[in-house]
Amino acid sequence: MMLLLLLVLSPAWAWIPVEDWESGNVTASLGESGQCVCHVYLPDTMFPADRVEHMQQVTKDLMLEVEIQINKMVSYKGKLEIFLGELKNLTTRVLILESDPDNYIKLDFELLRIELREFEALVSQLRESLNSSSPVFDSLYSEIHNMTLIVNQLETYDKSNLELVRIEFAKLQKKLEECQKEADIINPDIGNCNHTGITGVSRPMVVQLNAHLSSSYTFGGWGKDSKPARGYESMYWYGGYSSPSVYNFYLYSNYDNFILRSAFKDHDLPNGWYGTGNNYIVHGNAIYYQKNSPFSMSKLNLTTSKYDYRVIPQASQKFSYIYSDYQNMDFAADENGLWVMYATEEAKGKLVIAKIDEPSFGIENEWSTNVYKQLASNAFMVCGVMYATRSVDLNTEEIFYSYDTKTGEERHLSIQFEKFQENYVNLDYNPSDQKLYMYNNGYYVSYNVKFKN
């Protein structure tokens, strides 16, 4: 092989010592333009510098992938430990129930069945995550099936006694509801803003898997009416889907029926009124959600089943929260009323807060913030203050930013709270009970909010 070297040799050949060059392999001549041209004959064995560089990059990628997989295994180990602890507790409850079935009512049996279905979904999720089928998982499935059979058998014993207990339970429930109403009257902070902002968030209260009892329904939301009509103070709502498409909602008269998945009404959105995203709410006996075509905010009156929509020209469909696409409009409610948050191209993707005038269903006022929507997990309103969240790690979320619409003051915060699972698509504050409602990877999760008085 012959290389023409002009003045300096290529660095790729610098690894060959000069003393190893044979004089017969180097000749010199004068070029046509008078320049000196060296003819060097080098051996065919070349150092593969490009291959070494490629191997170094592949090694880095493999080390990163291994680290990611190790973190996943640690996360799965923690989930499995929690799961095994809950399964042990459930086994004890079934044994107690088997020894004395007359002291339990239908609700207890149904709750046990729901938990068993949840455990079955968790086992399936772990199997898919670990991409494994082993005797351990098969044994867990068998154990869950056997416990379900026991629960079904126990419920058939002594129906007369169960009916008496059910009547007594209904009386007790009525008394508890009366006590709850009195507690709401005694607590002056509910519905008021006698504080200077959020100082903390409680640990998550995981209610159960969604009403479809499927871990594939990762899109959706749940909660209570933030401004309930008289007689609907105890109502819960739910919407869950396997994609960002929004096409129906379920209503439950109270918490017990919500747990039992016994809806008193369900709304299937008609063609032309489908929505997208997950940041919808129920406020004033109406559901507010993001409509597809035209892109707009939409309203469904739950009493009259009347639909309405309003286009917000500056709202953009290009910007969404980090956990899910198509979450362009985020509806929120607080002690001051109804809000919608979105990003605009004029603001270069930063969140804009808009106050909704409920009677006219129009935009009353707007405030521009300095938080990029695509860097946030979600946002909610409390007493006219917007709070934005972001992910810290697999199990931790953080309220990192706030904007006060009354004063225009922005603050950078660090209020961390625990997640049940990594991804969530709906997070809303409800002023009627001062709780946060989260739809966390298919599970109903809620939090108590702590304020600085």
Side-chain angles (χ1 to χ4, degrees):
M1 168 169 30
M2 183 178 74
L3 299 177
L4 295 181
L5 306 181
L6 298 179
L7 301 181
V8 294
L9 292 174
S10 171
W13 306 100
W15 70 278
I16 304 176
V18 176
E19 55 269 21
D20 292 343
W21 295 2
E22 298 180 5
S23 59
N25 291 339
V26 182
T27 60
S29 62
L30 193 62
E32 295 179 358
S33 303
Q35 77 275 21
C36 181
V37 178
C38 293
H39 301 268
V40 180
Y41 295 87
L42 297 175
D44 291 336
T45 55
M46 297 166 48
F47 184 75
D50 55 340
R51 295 184 182 179
V52 171
E53 184 179 354
H54 176 69
M55 288 180 63
Q56 289 176 339
Q57 184 60 45
V58 170
T59 302
K60 289 181 181 179
D61 294 342
L62 287 173
M63 289 175 64
L64 179 60
E65 181 64 26
V66 169
E67 184 177 353
I68 292 173
Q69 295 302 325
I70 290 174
N71 289 336
K72 284 185 178 180
M73 291 300 296
V74 172
S75 174
Y76 296 146
K77 180 182 177 183
K79 290 180 182 179
L80 190 58
E81 289 176 353
I82 295 173
F83 163 70
L84 291 175
E86 292 181 352
L87 185 59
K88 182 178 180 181
N89 177 54
L90 182 61
T91 305
T92 304
R93 287 173 55 195
V94 171
L95 292 174
I96 296 174
L97 190 150
E98 186 178 10
S99 64
D100 193 9
D102 293 344
N103 290 329
Y104 289 81
I105 61 171
K106 184 177 180 179
L107 178 61
D108 293 306
F109 291 107
E110 186 61 29
L111 288 174
L112 281 171
R113 271 194 289 266
I114 290 172
E115 290 186 34
L116 286 168
R117 293 191 191 102
E118 290 180 15
F119 286 134
E120 185 176 354
L122 281 171
V123 172
S124 177
Q125 189 178 47
L126 283 170
R127 174 187 284 175
E128 293 174 1
S129 299
L130 296 174
N131 193 21
S132 171
S133 178
S134 69
V136 176
F137 290 119
D138 296 336
S139 175
L140 285 173
Y141 267 114
S142 177
E143 189 70 23
I144 291 171
H145 179 69
N146 291 338
M147 292 173 70
T148 304
L149 293 178
I150 293 173
V151 171
N152 292 335
Q153 291 171 359
L154 290 172
E155 191 178 10
T156 62
Y157 295 159
D158 205 344
K159 292 291 185 180
S160 59
N161 286 344
L162 287 175
E163 185 62 30
L164 291 174
V165 175
R166 192 178 298 115
I167 294 173
E168 293 300 320
F169 177 79
K171 294 178 182 178
L172 177 60
Q173 182 181 0
K174 186 175 181 180
K175 292 180 180 179
L176 289 173
E177 289 175 354
E178 292 174 357
C179 291
Q180 181 63 45
K181 292 179 181 178
E182 291 181 6
D184 291 342
I185 295 173
I186 293 172
N187 187 352
D189 292 329
I190 297 292
N192 294 323
C193 296
N194 300 326
H195 55 77
T196 57
I198 296 177
T199 59
V201 178
S202 72
R203 295 195 58 167
M205 179 181 293
V206 183
V207 179
Q208 67 177 40
L209 189 64
N210 57 70
H212 291 89
L213 297 177
S214 173
S215 58
S216 65
Y217 281 70
T218 56
F219 300 91
W222 75 291
K224 298 180 67 176
D225 192 326
S226 53
K227 187 177 128 180
R230 183 178 293 274
Y232 291 89
E233 294 86 355
S234 301
M235 185 185 75
Y236 282 78
W237 61 270
Y238 159 69
Y241 325 94
S242 56
S243 72
S245 227
V246 176
Y247 47 85
N248 62 5
F249 297 96
Y250 297 87
L251 305 179
Y252 307 87
S253 58
N254 53 46
Y255 185 77
D256 288 343
N257 287 330
F258 175 68
I259 294 296
L260 295 172
R261 310 184 315 283
S262 177
F264 74 88
K265 195 171 187 180
D266 63 274
H267 287 272
D268 292 323
L269 304 184
N271 189 21
W273 289 96
Y274 290 166
T276 50
N278 308 275
N279 291 104
Y280 36 77
I281 61 168
V282 176
H283 180 78
N285 203 40
I287 295 177
Y288 293 85
Y289 66 97
Q290 176 183 310
K291 188 174 181 289
N292 279 347
S293 180
F295 174 63
S296 56
M297 58 179 186
S298 185
K299 172 184 177 182
L300 164 61
N301 188 302
L302 295 176
T303 302
T304 63
S305 296
K306 179 183 176 182
Y307 292 84
D308 197 3
Y309 75 92
R310 292 289 186 275
V311 174
I312 305 177
Q314 63 272 29
S316 174
Q317 291 180 265
K318 294 183 179 180
F319 308 101
S320 181
Y321 291 130
I322 196 168
Y323 285 133
S324 175
D325 295 331
Y326 310 111
Q327 297 192 81
N328 309 114
M329 291 187 183
D330 182 2
F331 293 92
D334 67 358
E335 293 80 0
N336 295 343
L338 185 63
W339 310 79
V340 63
M341 292 170 282
Y342 46 83
T344 66
E345 295 190 35
E346 291 79 7
K348 300 185 183 341
K350 294 179 180 179
L351 270 173
V352 173
I353 309 167
K355 184 73 165 59
I356 298 177
D357 179 69
E358 295 180 49
S360 66
F361 194 28
I363 300 301
E364 182 180 310
N365 206 346
E366 288 183 335
W367 296 263
S368 297
T369 74
N370 281 311
V371 58
Y372 287 97
K373 185 173 183 180
Q374 291 177 312
L375 297 180
S377 303
N378 224 289
F380 57 91
M381 300 292 299
V382 178
C383 290
V385 179
M386 185 204 77
Y387 293 90
T389 65
R390 65 184 175 190
S391 176
V392 176
D393 55 43
L394 294 176
N395 302 313
T396 310
E397 196 75 6
E398 178 186 55
I399 300 174
F400 74 99
Y401 176 91
S402 70
Y403 183 95
D404 193 331
T405 59
K406 297 184 292 294
T407 64
E409 179 186 5
E410 296 177 284
R411 295 178 60 198
H412 294 280
L413 310 171
S414 182
I415 303 173
Q416 297 188 357
F417 58 97
E418 181 184 343
K419 292 181 288 187
F420 175 60
Q421 294 194 26
E422 180 182 6
N423 298 331
Y424 68 93
V425 293
N426 192 310
L427 180 67
D428 274 306
Y429 169 78
N430 194 312
S432 68
D433 55 13
Q434 293 185 331
K435 288 185 177 181
L436 287 173
Y437 289 86
M438 174 189 285
Y439 193 71
N440 192 181
N441 207 24
Y443 283 82
Y444 305 140
V445 181
S446 65
Y447 301 85
N448 291 316
V449 181
K450 303 172 185 177
F451 298 102
K452 182 178 181 181
N453 294 319

